[in-house]
Amino acid sequence: MNKPDMSKQEAQEIERLRQKIRRHDTFYYIHNQPEISDREYDRLMQELKDLEVRHPEWVTPDSPTQRVGGKVADRFDTVAHKIPMLSLDNTYNVGELKEFRERVVKGLVDVSSDEIEYFVELKFDGLAVTLTYEDGIFVKGATRGDGKKGEDITANLKTIHSIPLNICAGKEKIKLMEVRGEVFMPRKSFQKLNEIRAATGETLFANPRNAAAGSLRLLDPSITASRKLDIFVYGVGFMDPMPFSTQYEVQSELEKMGFHTNSNRYLCGNFEEVLPWIETWEKKKDELEYDVDGLVIKVNSLDYQKKLGATSRFPRWSVAFKYEPEKGETRVENITCQVGRTGAITPVAVLTPVTISGSTVSRATLHNEDEIASKDIRIGDRVVVEKAGEIIPRVVEVIKSVGERRGPRFRMPSKCPECKESIYRSKDEAVLRCTNSVCPAQLRERLLHFASRDAMDIDHLGPAVIDQLVSKGGVKHFSDLYKLKLQDFVRLERLAEKSAQNLIGALEKSKSVGFARVLYAFGIRHVGQRAGMILARHFHSMNKLQKAEKEELEFVMEIGEAIAESVSTFFGQKSNRDEIARLAELGIEMEFKGEAMGDRLAGKQFVLTGSLKLFTRDEAKEKIAALGGRVMSTVSKKTDYVVVGVDPGSKADKAKTLDIPRVTEDEFKKMVEK
């Protein structure tokens, strides 16, 4: 603390504020018993931020100010779990649960069945994660992944206030500890998030679990922070030494350490004591503020758990009892089709309202035409509807009566319900799609993609501006963006003249991003950045690419049948060709201007790590792709080169371990600019 540029008094004040904020975090986020107002809490946090701004050398990873301190990531690194994160075997009735008990008893041959205690807890419907603490400080968090390896989502997990960043304040430090938990989104947060997405025209999340999983895998931690996620920690993956002897003790001690554990946990002296909890929670689970889809039953003794071991997929000492989703009967009043943001056309059943799980259901997804055909769902049918945490439930089956007269079979439309353009179905998909790049139902999302950094890179053209341009009817095509004048942007809310001028400049600059990026910007199905570059390099101009037959496209290295069909279908649509012509007239570059540098990196795989100074990451990727190489996200034996920038991560270490050439940025520059 005796820093030459920091007074002892300020150092003490920083630590005092941190301790105070941590205490209030515990009472607010874990015990749900706030002791101060939000305004007072914000004042304390601002005081701490101000002190840390004056003394940045004193900022620590476990400071409360660092919960949303992560930068926007390019991708997630892979993390190897010290102990595998296995899934749970599922049971759906008491008979199957008794079979689990019999396997446990058989596996513990030297133990009387009366001596085996069971631990029962709720099965949360979220995303399993692991949290690693070194010397009491939270250093890494990861998803389960495939059980052996997951994704490093530390920055996103830090935004969850119920995860302590320091578990040893005032206590003896724990050298290394890995705990397991389930991240979830409370129902109120989920409802609010979907209301916001509905208001902005975004696709709704199907259920809280999907919302939580999607939020944890966002590359921008600040967006994750706005999602109001929570966690229940339920176990220890690794701890050396392991001071606990039972599962019950594990959770009790985790709670004392400051972790958010669930209070609905029960120690059962024998198997028979487990059964009443199944009936109890089947009735009570809908009263909770979070989703639960069953119970988890574990052998309580950690020693017995070790003796029972695990299969390659499941622990033998634990099992999940899952409740069947609730169902109801109703009638199909109509079948309509809606167009999603990617052009997918989804049939939806309009139902006579029915109450399921305490809420009224009046619509149910029918997924696609194959689903309707296989279940033979028709207008007027009596049907069974299932609600398993879905926003739009699904039709399980048709209730058919002998002699009942039914309506005609449903036929999917031959034209897009929104723009009336032709639609198509790929031979390896069950989904019908509208490929019109300016279909009104897809316009907002397509414009966002068109303007994104990796596409046309139109700075300042974000969701708020696009929403206004679309809602006011000023933009119906990509080309309309380039016809707008300064006064058109100045009229928009919260857009000052300086910002409007910057936007006009960004639009003008985007005209020369290059043919490959323009291809990617169109949002053609299956055409990512690499495919766009390959097609641009091969055909050299939009005019030649438009004339290419599907067979010719398939001949191009790395393109394949799926991409060829998608590209051929896109250019076969007159509305898309007309839009390309309009963009060309407005000065958008439609020819490949890259140097004819050949294929000297053909087949070579690169991995980039650290901050690059001579190139942006996008520039480095484009140069590699232009020479026939590929950029991969992870280092493997197939990697040819690892380009090492400033502050490289674990990828550089792995390259050294695998004896893969590591090149500096200067060396890389010589490779791509010969």
Side-chain angles (χ1 to χ4, degrees):
M1 289 188 184
N2 296 320
K3 304 277 182 179
D5 58 342
M6 173 185 280
S7 71
K8 184 177 180 180
Q9 184 177 357
E10 284 185 315
Q12 291 174 340
E13 179 63 11
I14 283 179
E15 190 55 35
R16 184 190 71 81
L17 285 167
R18 287 175 181 168
Q19 294 282 10
K20 198 169 184 178
I21 291 170
R22 287 178 189 135
R23 181 176 183 276
H24 288 304
D25 278 345
T26 299
F27 274 93
Y28 186 92
Y29 293 104
I30 296 179
H31 302 309
N32 199 25
Q33 296 176 342
E35 291 188 328
I36 59 175
S37 67
D38 290 350
R39 185 172 182 177
E40 177 63 15
Y41 179 90
D42 292 341
R43 186 187 64 77
L44 292 173
M45 184 66 81
Q46 191 59 52
E47 285 183 31
L48 178 58
K49 286 179 180 178
D50 291 343
L51 282 169
E52 289 184 347
V53 166
R54 289 205 297 271
H55 302 284
E57 72 279 7
W58 197 245
V59 177
T60 59
D62 63 325
S63 173
T65 62
Q66 300 305 295
R67 287 203 175 272
V68 196
K71 297 179 180 178
V72 177
D74 291 326
R75 62 183 61 85
F76 296 115
D77 289 332
T78 300
V79 175
H81 300 308
K82 198 171 184 68
I83 304 294
M85 291 186 73
L86 303 178
S87 301
L88 288 176
D89 198 4
N90 294 322
T91 60
Y92 294 91
N93 56 61
V94 173
E96 292 177 351
L97 196 57
K98 287 181 177 179
E99 290 174 5
F100 161 72
R101 188 267 306 269
E102 290 170 5
R103 292 194 297 271
V104 167
V105 172
K106 187 177 180 180
L108 298 172
V109 291
D110 299 328
V111 181
S112 168
S113 61
D114 294 334
E115 297 177 28
I116 304 173
E117 295 180 330
Y118 295 87
F119 181 82
V120 178
E121 60 189 333
L122 303 182
K123 185 179 182 299
F124 315 111
D125 198 11
L127 189 76
V129 298
T130 178
L131 313 173
T132 300
Y133 290 79
E134 293 179 1
D135 295 325
I137 306 298
F138 176 47
V139 294
K140 185 165 291 185
T143 62
R144 172 188 282 145
D146 64 4
K148 295 180 180 179
K149 295 179 180 179
E151 292 179 312
D152 186 342
I153 54 170
T154 307
N156 287 346
L157 287 170
K158 279 187 174 183
T159 69
I160 302 175
H161 285 260
S162 50
I163 294 179
L165 302 182
N166 185 332
I167 60 172
C168 298
K171 301 177 183 178
E172 183 180 347
K173 294 188 182 298
I174 299 172
K175 188 170 181 60
L176 181 62
M177 181 179 186
E178 182 192 81
V179 299
R180 307 283 170 81
E182 192 91 357
V183 172
F184 64 94
M185 181 174 287
R187 288 173 177 171
K188 287 184 180 178
S189 299
F190 172 68
Q191 184 178 355
K192 185 174 181 181
L193 174 61
N194 261 351
E195 287 173 356
I196 293 171
R197 293 176 73 84
T200 56
E202 296 178 87
T203 304
L204 302 186
F205 284 111
N207 51 53
R209 185 191 187 283
N210 286 0
S215 300
L216 278 181
R217 298 196 72 259
L218 290 167
L219 297 175
D220 186 347
S222 65
I223 302 177
T224 303
S226 70
R227 299 284 176 84
K228 308 299 181 185
L229 299 175
D230 206 340
I231 187 173
F232 284 128
V233 172
Y234 54 75
V236 173
F238 176 83
M239 193 172 180
D240 190 20
M242 174 66 79
F244 314 125
S245 59
T246 68
Q247 192 70 38
Y248 187 85
E249 185 184 0
V250 166
Q251 288 213 12
S252 298
E253 292 303 313
L254 287 173
E255 185 174 10
K256 291 177 184 177
M257 290 180 191
F259 290 104
H260 192 196
T261 60
N262 191 272
S263 59
N264 299 302
R265 54 183 188 260
Y266 313 98
L267 179 60
C268 301
N270 54 56
F271 180 78
E272 283 65 33
E273 292 181 18
V274 171
L275 303 181
W277 293 117
I278 292 174
E279 185 177 351
T280 297
W281 279 104
E282 186 169 19
K283 297 173 182 176
K284 289 178 60 177
K285 61 184 175 64
D286 292 329
E287 300 172 8
L288 297 169
E289 296 177 353
Y290 44 87
D291 279 0
V292 167
D293 59 358
L295 298 178
V296 177
I297 297 93
K298 301 176 180 177
V299 172
N300 189 42
S301 166
L302 300 189
D303 184 44
Y304 292 171
Q305 290 181 9
K306 189 174 181 180
K307 287 179 180 178
L308 289 165
T311 68
S312 60
R313 297 176 60 198
F314 311 119
R316 293 191 177 95
W317 45 266
S318 182
V319 73
F321 183 95
K322 298 191 74 171
Y323 295 117
E324 292 287 349
E326 292 196 34
K327 299 175 182 178
E329 293 184 12
T330 185
R331 189 175 297 279
V332 178
E333 295 183 353
N334 195 11
I335 298 177
T336 62
C337 289
Q338 58 188 27
V339 185
R341 66 180 179 85
T342 62
I345 298 172
T346 305
V348 176
V350 179
L351 307 169
T352 301
V354 59
T355 301
I356 304 176
S357 300
S359 61
T360 301
V361 173
S362 58
R363 293 166 70 83
T365 179
L366 299 178
H367 298 291
N368 53 60
E369 62 179 332
D370 288 354
E371 177 90 355
I372 297 176
S374 65
K375 294 179 179 176
D376 192 16
I377 302 168
R378 309 184 191 187
I379 296 172
D381 282 349
R382 292 282 300 174
V383 293
V384 175
V385 179
E386 177 180 274
K387 186 179 182 185
E390 301 281 342
I391 289 299
I392 301 180
R394 68 187 189 96
V395 173
V396 179
E397 62 179 338
V398 174
I399 304 171
K400 296 178 181 177
S401 301
V402 178
E404 182 183 20
R405 221 171 156 180
R406 304 176 66 204
R409 292 181 183 275
F410 178 77
R411 295 284 181 264
M412 291 290 286
S414 59
K415 302 284 185 181
C416 172
E418 289 286 339
C419 67
K420 309 306 177 188
E421 290 282 347
S422 60
I423 55 182
Y424 92 109
R425 173 178 171 175
S426 172
K427 68 179 182 180
D428 51 1
E429 276 194 322
V431 180
L432 283 165
R433 294 184 184 277
C434 171
T435 59
N436 180 7
S437 64
V438 291
C439 173
Q442 308 169 57
L443 183 58
R444 180 185 183 276
E445 295 299 326
R446 284 188 175 273
L447 284 170
L448 282 171
H449 174 75
F450 185 82
S452 65
R453 187 180 66 177
D454 294 332
M456 301 301 287
D457 193 20
I458 307 174
D459 203 12
H460 310 292
L461 188 60
V465 175
I466 286 176
D467 284 342
Q468 292 187 68
L469 292 174
V470 172
S471 65
K472 295 179 187 301
V475 173
K476 295 181 179 179
H477 307 83
F478 298 147
S479 54
D480 290 337
L481 293 170
Y482 296 93
K483 299 174 184 177
L484 297 172
K485 307 298 182 186
L486 181 65
Q487 57 267 30
D488 296 318
F489 289 115
V490 172
R491 292 193 193 105
L492 301 180
E493 294 178 16
R494 300 179 183 178
L495 199 67
E497 185 169 343
K498 180 68 182 297
S499 298
Q501 289 174 339
N502 290 337
L503 190 44
I504 290 290
L507 281 163
E508 188 62 32
K509 183 180 177 182
S510 74
K511 292 180 179 179
S512 57
V513 295
F515 179 27
R517 283 194 172 203
V518 174
L519 268 181
Y520 174 63
F522 284 145
I524 304 170
R525 187 163 172 75
H526 301 309
V527 177
Q529 291 171 266
R530 178 166 178 78
M533 175 60 75
I534 291 170
L535 290 168
R537 291 179 70 241
H538 184 88
F539 290 97
H540 293 286
S541 74
M542 185 69 78
N543 187 43
K544 290 181 180 178
L545 178 58
Q546 286 186 89
K547 294 177 180 177
E549 298 291 337
K550 180 173 177 287
E551 291 73 19
E552 185 181 355
L553 291 164
E554 287 182 31
F555 182 75
V556 179
M557 183 72 73
E558 292 189 48
I559 292 303
E561 186 178 357
I563 298 177
E565 180 183 1
S566 186
V567 171
S568 179
T569 301
F570 179 85
F571 288 119
Q573 200 146 343
K574 184 177 183 301
S575 58
N576 293 333
R577 297 196 302 273
D578 290 345
E579 175 62 1
I580 290 168
R582 287 190 290 266
L583 288 167
E585 289 175 7
L586 290 163
I588 308 300
E589 193 173 284
M590 297 287 185
E591 294 186 358
F592 185 64
K593 301 293 186 182
E595 295 178 56
M597 296 184 286
D599 293 320
R600 64 172 180 269
L601 296 183
K604 300 296 183 184
Q605 294 189 9
F606 287 74
V607 171
L608 309 176
T609 182
S611 301
L612 303 181
K613 300 297 183 183
L614 303 178
F615 308 91
T616 65
R617 285 210 168 220
D618 287 337
E619 288 170 345
K621 290 177 183 177
E622 285 182 8
K623 287 185 177 295
I624 292 169
L627 291 166
R630 301 187 68 177
V631 178
M632 311 302 288
S633 60
T634 57
V635 178
S636 70
K637 292 180 181 179
K638 295 182 179 179
T639 304
D640 294 290
Y641 299 100
V642 174
V643 181
V644 181
V646 179
D647 295 327
S650 59
K651 295 175 185 177
D653 297 331
K654 188 171 182 180
K656 184 177 180 181
T657 302
L658 296 176
D659 199 26
I660 294 168
R662 293 174 295 169
V663 298
T664 65
E665 199 172 352
D666 287 327
E667 291 170 330
F668 172 69
K669 184 178 181 181
K670 292 177 183 178
M671 292 175 71
V672 298
E673 295 185 353
K674 286 181 182 178

